[in-house]
Amino acid sequence: GIKLISTDPVAGQAFQFANEAMYEQMIYSRWAKENIKNGGKSMTDSPPENEYEENKPAKWYIFQIAFILLNLKSIFDPNSDDREIVDLLWFPTGGGKTEAYLGIVAFILAMRRLRKDNDGVNVIMRYTYRLLTIQQFQRASALMCACEHIRTRSSTMVKKWGKEPFLVGLFVGGDTTPNDLTTANDNLGKDSKKQNPVQIVSCPWCGKTLTHHNYRIASTPKRMAIKCANPNCYFGDEDDDKSFLPVVFIDDDIITTLPSLLIGTVDKFARLPWETK
């Protein structure tokens, strides 16, 4: 893996992107969690640098970076012999598996864009339990925020990483999220546990509390979008009609936007052969 990122410019740039995105994801996620604990009232734009970057810098565990490096060749090279191998990895809850997976996801997203081969969904993650799926979706949302922050912060970066936004999609049954935009719009503000479009109740980037008032129908493309309630948040700028959290969670929107990362339940994916659209 080290040889690959040291000798191939695309792999090297993708690896740098993945590390930068995961660094931001770790820093901002930690800050957001603190803000949520404090009632989700934060109105600042970024975490205090001395507290989150100098005193507690984000870093990989050894097994995480080793796991990522071990898998890079099989991801980068379609003819890799490692693609014929299936491994079962057991690791305890809370040990850091998700960050290792997300680091690989970020590498894939960057690699596909550098190769101009990013049309459609790049990565699929499947889980058996709906609650776990939603939890992982929220964690992946912070990564997509980091990817979007990198992509859009300058015209040079937009040119490099493409004009299409990085998005994460939540693909679960209709009992949890609405399957169509009309139902989602009708159910906004209703106190319903089924087909409720309000799936994210705090901003993954800054921790600000979100309500149905922060959900709206956006255009180009038409979809249900979330604007952070914090106007100072990177994803809450009221003057920017593209300043929305990079998440989609309604079937209609998933079909039209084709999110970079799609997280869903196994039973939802099993429905695909019966859904012609």
Side-chain angles (χ1 to χ4, degrees), residues 97-115:
K97 293 188 302 295
T98 299
E99 280 68 29
Y101 296 152
L102 292 181
I104 288 180
V105 169
F107 176 88
I108 293 170
L109 302 190
M111 177 192 73
R112 293 279 295 267
R113 296 212 173 198
L114 289 171
R115 287 177 170 176

Side-chain angles (χ1 to χ4, degrees), residues 11-254:
Q13 290 180 73
F15 185 71
Q16 288 177 330
F17 177 93
N19 276 273
E20 185 175 2
M22 286 303 299
Y23 185 87
E24 289 197 4
Q25 187 260 4
M26 292 177 188
I27 293 291
Y28 276 85
S29 292
R30 192 187 306 162
W31 178 54
K33 285 180 182 178
E34 289 297 321
N35 289 334
I36 292 170
K37 286 181 182 178
N38 295 330
K41 299 177 181 178
S42 174
M43 294 296 280
T44 55
D45 62 343
S46 61
E49 185 174 338
N50 62 337
E51 181 180 348
Y52 287 90
E53 296 196 45
E54 293 179 8
N55 299 341
K56 297 179 182 178
K59 57 184 178 181
W60 292 115
Y61 292 129
I62 293 296
F63 94 87
Q64 290 174 326
I65 190 63
F67 177 79
I68 291 170
L69 289 167
L70 275 169
N71 283 284
L72 290 188
K73 185 180 179 183
S74 63
I75 292 166
F76 194 79
D77 179 8
N79 297 314
S80 170
D81 292 339
D82 286 349
R83 292 200 174 195
E84 300 302 318
I85 300 171
V86 176
D87 277 343
L88 177 63
L89 175 66
W90 180 87
F91 214 80
T93 300
K97 293 188 302 295
T98 299
E99 280 68 29
Y101 296 152
L102 292 181
I104 288 180
V105 169
F107 176 88
I108 293 170
L109 302 190
M111 177 192 73
R112 293 279 295 267
R113 296 212 173 198
L114 289 171
R115 287 177 170 176
K116 310 298 182 187
D117 178 33
N118 62 296
D119 292 339
V121 175
N122 294 178
V123 180
I124 290 173
M125 297 177 76
R126 294 174 296 176
Y127 294 93
T128 49
Y129 296 108
R130 200 164 293 174
L131 179 60
L132 177 60
T133 305
I134 294 172
Q135 289 173 341
Q136 297 291 42
F137 171 72
Q138 291 168 341
R139 296 174 76 173
S141 297
L143 173 62
M144 286 306 119
C145 285
C147 291
E148 268 299 275
H149 186 234
I150 295 170
R151 185 187 72 86
T152 60
R153 63 188 176 202
S154 71
S155 57
T156 303
M157 298 302 274
V158 170
K159 186 176 181 181
K160 182 175 183 177
W161 300 115
K163 295 181 179 180
E164 292 297 318
F166 289 103
L167 295 170
V168 56
L170 177 64
F171 199 49
V172 294
D175 283 349
T176 303
T177 61
N179 287 338
D180 61 88
L181 202 54
T182 302
T183 303
N185 197 36
D186 291 343
N187 287 356
L188 265 183
K190 293 182 180 179
D191 188 17
S192 173
K193 291 185 178 180
K194 290 189 175 184
Q195 297 196 338
N196 189 346
V198 182
Q199 291 297 320
I200 294 182
V201 295
S202 59
C203 175
W205 194 241
C206 74
K208 178 71 175 177
T209 299
L210 304 175
T211 69
H212 68 276
H213 296 293
N214 306 114
Y215 287 65
R216 63 192 72 176
I217 303 294
S219 55
T220 61
K222 185 178 180 181
R223 67 179 179 94
M224 180 68 73
I226 311 170
K227 187 177 286 288
C228 181
N230 175 5
N232 296 312
C233 177
Y234 195 79
F235 301 96
D237 187 350
E238 286 291 345
D239 296 326
D240 185 351
D241 60 1
K242 294 183 179 179
S243 178
F244 294 107
L245 288 171
V247 299
V248 288
F249 44 88
I250 297 165
D251 287 15
D252 284 352
D253 296 348
I254 288 171

